[in-house]
Amino acid sequence: MSEPAGAKPTRFLRDYRAPAWRIDDVELVFDLDAAATIVQARLSLRQDDAAAPLELDAEALELLELRIDGRVLGADEFSLAADRLVVPGARGPLVLESRVRIAPERNTALQGLYLSGTREQGFLLTQCEAEGFRRITPFLDRSDVLARYRVTLRADRARYPVLLANGNADGAGELGDGRHWARFVDPHPKPSYLFALVAGRLESIERTFVTAEGRRVRLVIHAEADAIGRCGWAMQCLEQAMRWDEERFGRCYDLDAFHVVATHDFTMGAMENKGLNIFNAKYLLADPASATDDDHRHVLAVVGHEYFHNWSGNRVTCRDWFQLCLKEGLTVYREQEFESDLASRTLRRIEDVRLLWRAQFSEDAGPLAHPVRPDRYSEINNFYTATVYEKGAEIVRMLGVVLGRDGFRRGLDLYFARHDGHAATIEDFLAALGDANGVDLSPWLAWYEQAGTPELRASGRHDARRRCYELTLEQHTAPTPGQPHKRALPIPVAIALFDAAGRALPLRLDGEDADTAAHERVLLLDRDAATFRFADIDEAPTPSLLRGFSAPVRLVQDTPPPALAALARHDSDGFNRWFAGDALVRRLFAQALAGSEPDAALFAAWTACVGSALDDPGVDPALAAEMLTIADATSLADGLADIDPEAVHQARARIETGLAVALASKLVRRHAALGDLDDLAVDPATQARRRLRNACLAALCRADAAHAPLARAQYARARNLTDRLAALGALLGMRDTEADAALADFAERHAGDALVLDKWFSLQATEADPRACERVAALLVHPAFRWSNPNNVYALPGAFALRNPRAFHRVDGDGYRLVADAILRLDALTPQVAARLATAFGAWRRYEPLRRALMRRELERMLGRERLSPDLADILGRSLAGT
Ligand code: PHE
Ligand code: ZN
């Protein structure tokens, strides 16, 4: 496949070559200014390959001077093209000095050095992953070049009072002309993508943390004055993360200070720069008045995530960007475990699986499908995907399941010990985990190399005469782009068998000792199909399969509905209770979509399960809330072809409303019983109750407009954002006469609070009503919406495109046009964000012919535009490949 116009050339994993030149030491001096910053670099370079010319990455730089070993180079001694600085005659070792000028305030791509906020009030910061450092200084900007950095920042003291860079502080002072300086030394060799600096007017809060190794560490969180009061929760989360990583994985922090900075202008969630994490404010600021319970948990997770990267990513980094999942899959897994240990394991697992289904399974089913470790890419920014992150974490989780908790820990210890201070590969990771446990994990490489969602078929048969239960498991993975034939994968299937009374049976496979029988075990399916025979099973059992979602597969089981209903009531694994309920929902959904009346007995069985979870005070309220919340439209459409999103919506709504009507009296009761909560508490137990109360409210409002007063009263009374937003959503969803007044009140109440207004935008953008399209169009000119701010974009056109299938896929094509216009506009500003939005069109081939044609037309219209960014050209080109 060749690249479309505007795209970068494709790079291949198989072409990897070790760097011909290396950099041992880096000295940087910045004269910081929003309009024009001067960067002086002094690089000590070594030549490993005598035949290779010196070629440095350099983008959007104005080169002022270049010296080698102190001598200024003449214009004929080097060449500077769009992205490359070449010095043909250079021979190492040598010292290269460069001086360049850059313009942070004009940098709307938000990669390299840029300005957050306004020219007068804002602050300067950097974003270097994946390839942003080359926009700061000419460099070998690749992750397998690890160097020691010494960085001096100079700037006007009044305008930029706070100066920060990676590592330990190494002096500061005045320059006499109103400017000041600060120096930082980072003792840990690092790749350039982990470089960071921050300069500006920032406030801070500070604590001291003593590591298990006895190191005293300053923890400092910095934010602008209006936000610093909302950093306390993040500080608490950071301390918990540091302690948890010591206790669970034996990992301690390794510098004298750990800085965290919040910005409103960021394309992603947050960034793990060594000792100087930079966060999208959305994942750092939280208090009950301006952040929901979910936001509080996201802050916990992301603060943990970035901190955990200090080992999984920074101390051991990636050899190249094909190995991105090495750091991201492992770190997402660590983050999941952190939140699971601190808050609710069942809730986190359900949310992760929902995300996997919605974002990753659908990615895997379209033209943008790629392996967790891609073997080629044109623009690496486009590979920060659900596949690399979420499926990458699932693979690590499976390894954790097969190795066991202690075995996994041993493996990870060896991985960190072996590769500390180096750049590693997925092969290295599997080798370390395998060597520490005396097993060969090389078959697991297939999970990293093969795209597509495996289908796992399970069928059971009880043999009364031989008193055994036979479970047959088969796997199949459909072709994906460039991979017509798939290999069998090692699939761990965690299983329990329940008898009619709901008791877990001892699981002994034919031929095994009786005394080893456990009540839950993991079967490994490592070929196309296998049959497992359990002995001493007197009656036909109910199998609970894939417990805890032990593998990222699409499970097709022949379990009859009554057995699923039994699991949804009694399974001892909270996740599988929910999972069994979801399996029932999917059967009802299939009937409704086919146009038939859903099977009454099946419907009754399902609603009874949800009802019993609602009534049972012993059930985790968070689990009950999740059981009340059925899968989203995208997940329900998984595996379908010729999708009609309007029909999907109607079928789903019928089931969702049916549930609410059937349970109305129980909902009223439970809602009232949960009335008395501490509105300002955010501990997991209170959050869980609030979650259930708001799920009850939403369901009641769906069931009957007569419940509107409940929502109105909650809106008026709400003392925290969770309750206020839930009430507003309920009013909007039922098109209550007071919905518009409440929307206006909300905007006024939170005017000036960008993060809260983003939620207000999103709520309207995701309303499952075709008219959301007009609403979004009107909001795009709201004074609080700025095209240059990624959070605004994700909250409004982004939420519409990616989380409102009914309106985005409007049959008149207006939704598509709106989003395509937004993408083209954004591409000139923030290409990374434009490309992300464009993935909304990726699944176009899976829709019914009319929508398919409309989506294709928009894709072609966008591709026909001149001067597309490489980011957008890559997504459009791959989406249309083969047409
Ligand atoms: N590496 C970041 C993470 O923790 C994500 C990121 C990628 C942020 C690229 C900015 C740019 O997942
Ligand atoms: Zn990460």
Side-chain angles (χ1 to χ4, degrees), residues 753-763 784 789 791-792 795-796:
D753 190 334
L755 296 178
V756 182
L757 288 179
D758 280 341
K759 294 178 194 303
W760 182 77
F761 284 136
S762 286
L763 197 65
N789 178 260
N791 282 353
N792 280 176
L796 193 55

Side-chain angles (χ1 to χ4, degrees), residues 129 270 272 305-306 309 327-328 331-332 335 389:
E129 187 179 4
E272 70 265 24
H305 180 109
E306 305 312 328
H309 266 314
K327 74 178 176 79
E328 295 306 343
T331 304
V332 171
E335 165 206 326
Y389 275 66

Side-chain angles (χ1 to χ4, degrees), residues 498 502 561-574 576-581 584 604-613 615-616 619 623 627 666:
F498 292 99
L564 287 173
L567 292 174
R569 273 171 186 265
H570 304 299
D571 199 320
S572 46
D573 178 337
N576 267 40
R577 277 188 78 163
W578 172 83
F579 191 37
L584 291 171
W606 170 57
T607 53
C609 294
V610 181
S612 81
D615 278 347
D616 183 349
V619 171
L623 172 59
M627 292 189 73
K666 285 181 195 290

